[in-house]
């Protein structure tokens, strides 16, 4: 009996013992779980806080950059009494989202065309630029086909109408930034004329109908077939016959004579690109533009606004007969390599990197600048003293230190701010709709032993001297909710010019 009882007791002890062991193990697991949970909660919390810190930091960087840019912009004013004369052309722009006009799928293999004769060619060349997110402008030779596209665009919910053409956009921006008088070389209808502020004088002639330009806009990342553009951009098409012939040139030339501008701006010549025009006629028109430039007294600054050129002969003509008569050039990241290629190899470059490195842009700018600084100042030719290149991420300026161009740093700030104001469609910049894509530091050149510049948020515009010229680079607060890209370059170039005259 006693033995059995002992056995039972022992078993009981055993059980108690195993129970104790069991609960100890359970407690071990429990502590392990709670430590594990605590650790993961801590990690989540840290990650959250880090993320919040990072966002906060990013938004602080944006705010400080904006403050720095605004401070610099406000440090200079437009000289009172400044007068600007600017040509050529005008049109009615229809801005529309490309996917509300183009319903066909793109071809598998994009194909470049210099001008567009039908739908196949249109899809080929549009997709060619779309895949790179590169801006371009083409003439549509088939007016029936162009009419069909315009008809679709007019019905699109996103369609907006604005005054188009480089010169009118630049003229309006000059006035908006405080230039009191502008003479605009443009033919237009009386109804379009009413849309200009009074201090812009239109040269005429006045015509019955305005030409239409279609701006097909697309956002970054919008898939079309197999193509996803890396940046927002636009493709412009037109079937214009007045602007390519510079039909306002003669009246403009006559009126500039007594106008005495401080600055003459030549732009809109890309309308001649691949336009079917007799060579002799084209030469004639360009000769007349050159004569106008040559005739200007030395104290009148002359700026030539570059654009998208794909017609090699025309572009060569411009580089030989227009560029050497300007003191200043303005262009974007596509147009710079195009000019560079023409000057270096005598051919053109159709598309280039749409997000180029600062070093690459600066090197090309230096080469062009140094070369055009050697222009002999005879028969109205001028040495280049100012070069402005605008890209998505930054604005770059080269100015001759001995030239009359003033306030390069403030001009860089204003052009960078204008890039955001224009693409976001608002004069007040909201940093929640902006990002910086310029690197935190950049090399000043691809050449060996090139120095690095660090981006200083408190002083966001980097300027430095290189021999006889000054370089300034300003970051753009890139708009993340893009309203429009077309016309951006014109607005940015004018904004860069106004403080420098
Ligand atoms: C011009 O466009 C119309 C309409 O799209 C088309 O029917 C016609 O074939 C085109 N003409 C040429 C010469 O390609
Ligand atoms: C232009 O010429 C250069 C040098 O000959 C060549 O490397 C380049 O590929 C040419 N570009 C085009 C678009 O033909
Ligand atoms: C395309 C275009 O005109 N963009 C802007 C340029 O700046 C003017 C003001 O001068 C704005 O009204 C435009 O939206």
């Amino acid at each position: 009996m006693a033995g059995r009882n002992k056995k039972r007791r022992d078993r009981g002890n055993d059980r108690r013992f195993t129970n104790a062991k069991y609960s100890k193990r359970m407690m071990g697991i429990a502590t392990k779980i709670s430590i594990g949970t605590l650790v993961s909660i801590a990690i989540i919390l840290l990650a959250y806080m880090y993320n919040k810190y990072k966002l906060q930091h990013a938004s602080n960087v944006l705010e400080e950059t904006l403050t720095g840019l605004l401070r610099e912009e406000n440090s200079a004013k437009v000289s009172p009494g400044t007068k600007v004369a600017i040509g050529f052309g005008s049109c009615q722009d229809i801005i529309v989202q490309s996917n509300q006009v183009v319903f066909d799928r793109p071809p598998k293999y994009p194909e470049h065309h210099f001008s567009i004769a039908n739908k196949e060619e249109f899809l080929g060349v549009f997709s060619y630029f779309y895949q790179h997110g590169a801006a371009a402008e083409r003439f549509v030779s088939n007016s029936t086909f162009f009419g069909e596209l315009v008809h679709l665009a007019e019905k699109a919910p996103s369609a907006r109408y604005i005054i188009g053409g480089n010169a009118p956009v630049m003229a309006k921006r000059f006035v908006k930034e405080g230039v009191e008088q502008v003479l605009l070389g443009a033919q237009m209808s009386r109804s379009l004329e009413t849309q200009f502020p009074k201090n812009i004088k239109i040269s005429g002639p006045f015509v019955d109908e305005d030409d239409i330009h279609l701006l097909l806009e697309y956002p970054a990342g919008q898939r079309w077939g197999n193509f996803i553009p890396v940046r927002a951009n636009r493709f412009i098409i037109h079937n214009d016959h007045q602007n390519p012939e510079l039909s306002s040139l003669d009246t403009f030339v006559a009126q500039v004579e007594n106008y005495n501008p401080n600055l003459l701006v030549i732009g809109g010549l890309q309308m001649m690109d691949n336009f079917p025009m007799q060579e002799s006629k084209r030469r004639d028109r360009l000769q007349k533009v050159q004569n106008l430039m040559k005739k200007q007294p030395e104290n009148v600054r002359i700026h030539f606004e570059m654009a998208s050129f794909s017609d090699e002969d025309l572009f060569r003509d411009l580089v030989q007969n227009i560029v050497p008569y300007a003191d200043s050039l303005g262009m974007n990241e596509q147009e710079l390599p195009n000019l560079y290629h023409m000057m270096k190899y005598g051919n053109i470059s159709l598309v280039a990197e749409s997000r180029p490195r600062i070093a690459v842009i600066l090197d090309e700018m230096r080469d062009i600048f140094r070369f055009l600084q050697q222009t002999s100042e005879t028969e109205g030719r001028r040495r280049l003293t100012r070069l402005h290149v605008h890209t998505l991420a930054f604005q770059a300026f080269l100015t001759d230190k001995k030239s009359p161009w003033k306030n390069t740093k403030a001009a860089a700030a204003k052009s960078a701010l204008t890039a955001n104001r224009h693409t976001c469609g608002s004069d007040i910049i909201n940093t929640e709709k902006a990002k910086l894509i310029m690197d935190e530091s950049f090399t000043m050149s691809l050449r060996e032993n090139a120095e690095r510049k660090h981006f200083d948020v408190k002083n966001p515009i980097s300027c430095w001297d290189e021999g006889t010229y000054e370089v300034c680079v300003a970051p753009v607060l890139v708009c993340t909710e893009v309203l429009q890209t077309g016309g951006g370059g014109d607005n940015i170039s004018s904004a860069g010019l106004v403080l420098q005259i």
Side-chain angles (χ1 to χ4, degrees):
M1 242 337 252
R4 218 187 293 151
N5 275 345
K6 182 172 186 291
K7 246 185 205 158
R8 205 177 280 150
R9 240 185 358 256
D10 285 355
R11 230 185 284 143
N13 276 345
D14 264 8
R15 204 171 289 142
R16 265 201 304 280
F17 179 69
T18 43
N19 272 351
K21 234 171 57 185
Y22 177 73
S23 59
K24 227 182 182 170
R25 205 168 61 222
M26 284 309 285
M27 260 169 66
I29 290 175
T31 22
K32 264 188 212 145
I33 286 176
S34 58
I35 288 177
T37 318
L38 274 178
V39 168
S40 24
I41 288 174
I43 288 176
I44 289 170
L45 214 75
L46 272 174
Y48 170 76
M49 277 160 59
Y50 176 67
N51 220 3
K52 199 168 158 191
Y53 162 79
K54 240 177 51 185
L55 281 177
Q56 187 62 48
H57 178 69
S59 99
N60 284 349
V61 167
L62 287 172
E63 279 300 332
E64 281 194 54
T65 306
L66 176 59
T67 308
L69 288 172
L70 288 172
R71 187 186 347 107
E72 193 55 49
E73 180 187 38
N74 290 326
S75 73
K77 291 258 171 311
V78 178
S79 305
T82 298
K83 282 163 93 180
V84 178
I86 172 167
F88 300 98
S90 80
C91 55
Q92 177 76 69
D93 276 355
I94 307 181
I95 305 177
V96 68
Q97 286 302 314
S98 68
N99 61 1
Q100 293 177 359
V101 173
V102 185
F103 299 111
D104 298 84
R105 286 178 60 79
K108 223 183 196 137
Y109 304 104
E111 201 180 337
H112 182 256
H113 296 279
F114 289 102
S115 65
I116 298 167
N118 53 41
K119 191 174 187 171
E120 284 63 48
E121 292 190 359
F122 166 71
L123 292 171
V125 64
F126 180 38
S127 55
Y128 179 86
F129 291 105
Y130 190 95
Q131 63 181 342
H132 298 289
E137 182 164 340
R138 290 291 177 272
F139 175 68
V140 181
S141 57
N142 181 336
S143 56
T144 318
F145 174 61
F146 185 69
E148 289 171 357
L149 288 180
V150 169
H151 186 67
L152 285 173
E154 285 170 339
K155 286 194 306 194
S158 65
R160 288 184 301 123
Y161 295 79
I162 60 161
I163 298 168
N166 305 63
V169 172
M170 289 185 77
K172 286 185 81 178
R173 176 56 68 174
F174 280 131
V175 166
K176 188 165 180 169
E177 299 295 344
V179 174
E180 286 158 28
Q181 294 182 64
V182 176
L183 171 65
L184 170 62
Q187 77 294 336
M188 71 177 67
S189 68
R190 288 287 180 187
S191 84
L192 199 61
E193 186 198 12
T194 60
Q195 295 176 39
F196 282 88
K198 286 278 165 293
N199 39 0
I200 298 184
K201 184 173 183 288
I202 314 281
S203 74
F206 290 93
V207 296
D208 291 338
E209 254 184 80
D210 297 300
D211 278 307
I212 291 177
H213 288 206
L214 206 51
L215 280 70
L216 301 168
E217 299 248 335
Y218 50 84
Q222 172 178 281
R223 177 182 282 279
W224 180 38
N226 289 329
F227 307 127
I228 303 175
V230 294
R231 61 164 287 185
N233 224 324
R234 80 283 186 285
F235 184 60
I236 304 178
I237 46 174
H238 66 88
N239 172 243
D240 190 335
H241 288 267
Q242 305 179 66
N243 287 308
E245 297 188 356
L246 306 181
S247 58
S248 60
L249 178 58
D250 302 326
T251 44
F252 183 67
V253 166
Q255 292 177 32
V256 171
E257 195 109 351
N258 307 313
Y259 193 71
N260 301 322
N262 305 90
L263 172 72
L264 169 67
V265 179
I266 303 292
L269 302 186
Q270 79 281 6
M271 294 303 305
M272 297 173 138
D273 200 65
N274 289 297
F275 180 73
M277 190 194 292
Q278 262 185 352
E279 182 146 342
S280 57
K281 179 157 187 193
R282 187 175 84 195
R283 283 258 154 86
D284 207 52
R285 299 313 271 163
L286 288 183
Q287 187 60 53
K288 191 146 192 184
V289 175
Q290 189 195 79
N291 289 344
L292 172 67
M293 296 168 90
K294 269 182 179 170
K295 255 198 336 222
Q296 298 312 307
E298 216 179 305
N299 63 349
V300 178
R301 305 288 89 209
I302 303 183
H303 173 83
F304 175 51
E305 185 64 18
M306 202 68 85
S308 164
F309 289 101
S310 63
D311 179 336
E312 210 165 281
D313 292 335
L314 170 66
F315 195 41
R316 190 171 296 117
D317 252 9
L318 292 177
V319 169
Q320 280 165 9
N321 299 314
I322 300 293
V323 169
Y325 295 85
D327 310 285
S328 162
L329 299 176
M331 64 197 78
N332 69 19
E333 86 289 342
Q334 302 289 321
E335 293 148 20
L336 174 73
N338 201 17
L339 177 62
Y340 183 79
H341 268 79
M342 179 52 77
M343 288 178 34
K344 195 154 179 152
Y345 309 113
N347 62 11
I348 55 170
S349 109
L350 282 174
V351 267
E353 182 61 56
S354 66
R355 286 190 181 187
R357 290 182 52 189
I358 295 178
V360 175
I361 293 289
L362 290 181
D363 281 344
E364 288 187 359
M365 286 176 76
R366 287 181 184 103
D367 278 2
I368 288 174
F369 197 77
R370 285 183 193 140
F371 182 77
L372 290 173
Q373 279 241 297
Q374 291 163 15
T375 306
S376 66
E377 296 178 293
T378 51
E379 295 174 55
R381 286 193 201 83
R382 295 170 177 227
R383 290 186 321 116
L384 190 72
T385 47
R386 179 183 180 276
L387 178 55
H388 172 195
V389 174
H390 46 90
T391 79
L392 186 65
F394 59 91
Q395 304 287 323
F397 284 70
L398 252 63
T399 14
D400 186 321
K401 286 190 288 186
K402 288 214 187 87
S403 70
W405 302 107
K406 326 177 271 198
N407 306 321
T408 304
K409 195 170 184 182
K414 190 183 265 302
S415 61
L417 290 164
T418 304
N420 178 292
R421 289 177 182 135
H422 173 80
T423 36
C424 265
S426 163
D427 285 349
I428 295 162
I429 294 173
N430 179 355
T431 51
E432 279 169 23
K433 289 189 196 167
K435 62 178 177 184
L436 279 168
I437 56 176
M438 193 172 115
D439 297 331
E440 276 173 27
S441 71
F442 60 90
T443 38
M444 287 157 60
S445 166
L446 288 185
R447 281 156 210 164
E448 243 173 275
N449 304 324
E451 239 182 274
R452 277 193 92 76
K453 277 264 170 216
H454 287 273
F455 178 59
D456 172 9
V457 284
K458 294 233 160 28
N459 192 2
I461 308 142
S462 310
C463 293
W464 65 91
D465 283 353
E466 290 183 11
T468 57
Y469 56 88
E470 181 186 22
V471 185
C472 283
V473 176
V476 172
L477 295 165
V478 181
C479 179
T480 50
E481 287 174 29
V482 176
L483 212 68
Q484 58 182 350
T485 59
D490 303 324
N491 270 294
I492 296 167
S493 280
S494 298
L497 277 165
V498 289
L499 298 179
Q500 297 213 263
I501 319 160

